[in-house]
């Protein structure tokens, strides 16, 4: 089994996500289900079916939602190509050509469309006794659907004050989304923004984003963690926080070697943040039985 490899990039290490045993929606999963695509990506009941089958095919212990990283942008008016039974929803075209236009987009509408149906799917899976890891996208991933990345980088160089407003506009909406995920029963809320990793931004820009946005944002998110909910971080985010001295690992010795996802379930109520491995690496084992809590400083 392949693992993510860590390499030095200044003070912030990068996590090269190379998992290949949980490739998400694919013909192996959808074959024989009698579902119509892309319609199946738009309804609660069919999402529940897909999530359960994906769990079974991957021999996982948790159900995964959603099946793409486009819900947030779509809820703000983004254009989405819903895909088919082989490839899930993805960006279908940009709605902005300047970062200032992002500030004029409506807030995310959680009351209708795919985002509402996905929240309902989460609730139903939990009512059926499933553990759900609900993946929420970060600002760079959302922006990738709304605007060409070159305009984002141009904005970060030439309009830093505008980009700060953009980040917090998105951050406030993401937080509301995560609050709803918790309300709908999601016990493992995953936050990832791989489109804004150090391998893309570079060490200097990554440090600025981590210190000025990611850390204070996650301090707010931390309030959602309790005896029923834990926050999972993409290892790219974890390593950025540790590299900027905004977080540290705290080891918890478990009673026995255990799978990472199973350990996350076990640690709900005992740790606020996990983030030592990508939760999509469904077969990853903590061979020494050590769970590394990500502790914000």
């Amino acid at each position: 089994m392949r693992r993510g490899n860590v390499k030095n990039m200044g003070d912030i290490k990068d996590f090269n996500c190379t998992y290949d045993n949980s490739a998400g929606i694919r013909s192996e999963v959808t074959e024989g289900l009698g579902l119509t695509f892309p319609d199946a990506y738009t309804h609660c009941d069919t999402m529940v079916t897909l999530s359960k089958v994906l769990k079974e095919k991957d021999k996982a212990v948790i159900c995964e939602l959603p099946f793409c990283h486009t819900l947030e942008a779509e809820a703000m008016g983004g254009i989405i190509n819903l895909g088919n039974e082989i490839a899930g929803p993805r960006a279908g075209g940009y709605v902005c050509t300047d970062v200032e236009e992002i500030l004029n987009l409506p807030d995310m509408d959680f009351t209708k469309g795919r985002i509402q149906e996905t929240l309902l799917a989460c609730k139903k899976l939990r009512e059926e006794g499933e553990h759900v890891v609900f993946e929420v996208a970060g600002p760079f991933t959302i922006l990738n659907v709304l605007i060409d990345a070159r305009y984002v980088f141009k904005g970060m160089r030439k309009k830093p004050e505008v980009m700060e407003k953009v980040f917090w506009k998105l951050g406030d909406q993401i937080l509301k989304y995560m609050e709803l995920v918790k309300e709908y029963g999601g016990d493992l809320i995953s936050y990832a923004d791989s489109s804004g990793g150090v391998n893309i931004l570079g060490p200097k820009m990554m440090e600025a984003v981590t210190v000025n946005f990611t850390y204070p944002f996650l301090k707010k998110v931390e309030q959602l963690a309790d005896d029923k909910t834990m926050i999972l971080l993409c290892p790219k985010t974890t390593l950025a926080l540790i590299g900027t001295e905004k977080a540290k690992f705290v080891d918890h010795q478990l009673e026995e070697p255990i799978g990472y996802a199973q350990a996350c379930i076990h640690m709900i109520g005992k740790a606020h943040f996990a983030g030592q491995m990508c939760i999509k690496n469904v077969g990853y084992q903590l061979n020494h039985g050590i769970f590394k809590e990500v502790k914000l400083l």
Side-chain angles (χ1 to χ4, degrees), residues 185-200:
D187 49 349
L188 297 169
I189 304 176
S190 172
Y191 175 78
D193 201 12
S194 59
S195 296
V198 67
N199 59 317
I200 297 173

Side-chain angles (χ1 to χ4, degrees), residues 15-270:
F15 180 89
N16 181 25
C17 195
T18 59
Y19 67 88
D20 58 4
N21 55 346
S22 180
I25 297 300
R26 54 200 187 271
S27 56
E28 177 191 348
V29 173
T30 58
E31 186 177 359
L33 294 181
L35 301 178
T36 302
F37 293 88
D39 187 61
Y41 297 129
T42 65
H43 302 291
C44 165
D45 290 343
T46 48
M47 290 183 200
V48 168
T49 298
L50 283 170
S51 187
K52 285 185 172 181
V53 172
L54 187 63
K55 173 191 172 187
E56 179 184 351
K57 292 289 186 181
D58 288 339
K59 296 180 174 57
V61 298
I62 51 179
C63 283
E64 178 186 337
L65 286 173
F67 310 115
C68 65
H69 301 294
T70 62
L71 287 181
E72 297 89 344
E74 184 181 48
M76 297 178 71
I79 302 169
I80 307 301
N81 179 342
L82 288 177
N84 52 37
E85 67 274 16
I86 298 174
R90 54 195 182 277
Y94 301 124
V95 295
C96 298
T97 56
D98 187 288
V99 290
E100 291 190 43
E101 295 175 22
I102 303 292
L103 298 174
N104 296 323
L105 291 178
D107 289 343
M108 295 179 196
D109 187 346
F110 304 110
T111 66
K112 64 183 182 181
R114 286 195 305 129
I115 201 164
Q116 170 66 2
E117 291 294 316
T118 308
L119 288 168
L120 290 171
C122 175
K123 183 178 181 180
K124 187 168 184 177
L125 285 167
R126 290 292 288 138
E127 289 173 347
E128 294 178 359
E130 300 285 356
H131 291 285
V132 178
V133 56
F134 198 109
E135 299 175 20
V136 176
F140 283 103
T141 302
I142 296 172
L143 288 171
N144 262 2
V145 181
L146 298 172
I147 186 172
D148 192 306
R150 60 180 171 166
Y151 296 123
V152 174
F153 290 113
K154 180 180 178 181
M156 295 188 75
R157 291 193 309 271
K158 297 188 174 182
K159 299 179 180 180
E161 69 290 343
V162 173
M163 285 306 300
E164 182 177 0
K165 293 178 182 178
V166 167
F167 267 81
W168 282 108
K169 173 185 173 71
L170 295 176
D172 289 343
Q173 293 301 299
I174 295 166
L175 182 59
K176 289 179 182 178
Y177 187 23
M178 295 173 89
E179 289 170 349
L180 277 174
V181 173
K182 178 181 173 70
E183 185 179 316
Y184 278 74
D187 49 349
L188 297 169
I189 304 176
S190 172
Y191 175 78
D193 201 12
S194 59
S195 296
V198 67
N199 59 317
I200 297 173
L201 302 184
K204 186 176 181 180
M205 190 178 292
M206 187 69 184
E207 180 179 5
V209 171
T210 303
V211 171
N212 296 321
F213 173 76
T214 307
Y215 173 73
F217 169 73
L218 289 176
K219 290 293 282 187
K220 294 182 179 184
V221 170
E222 188 170 16
Q223 304 305 311
L224 300 178
D226 55 20
D227 61 346
K228 296 180 180 179
T229 307
M230 185 164 66
I231 313 301
L232 309 185
L233 299 178
C234 167
K236 286 178 178 286
T237 301
T238 297
L239 293 174
L241 290 165
I242 291 174
T244 53
E245 300 181 345
K246 294 298 183 182
K248 66 178 181 179
F249 278 130
V250 176
D251 288 356
H252 294 263
Q253 182 66 57
L254 305 177
E255 293 183 2
E256 60 183 354
I258 192 174
Y260 180 55
Q262 201 168 358
C264 287
I265 294 170
H266 175 75
M267 291 300 296
I268 294 174
K270 303 179 181 70

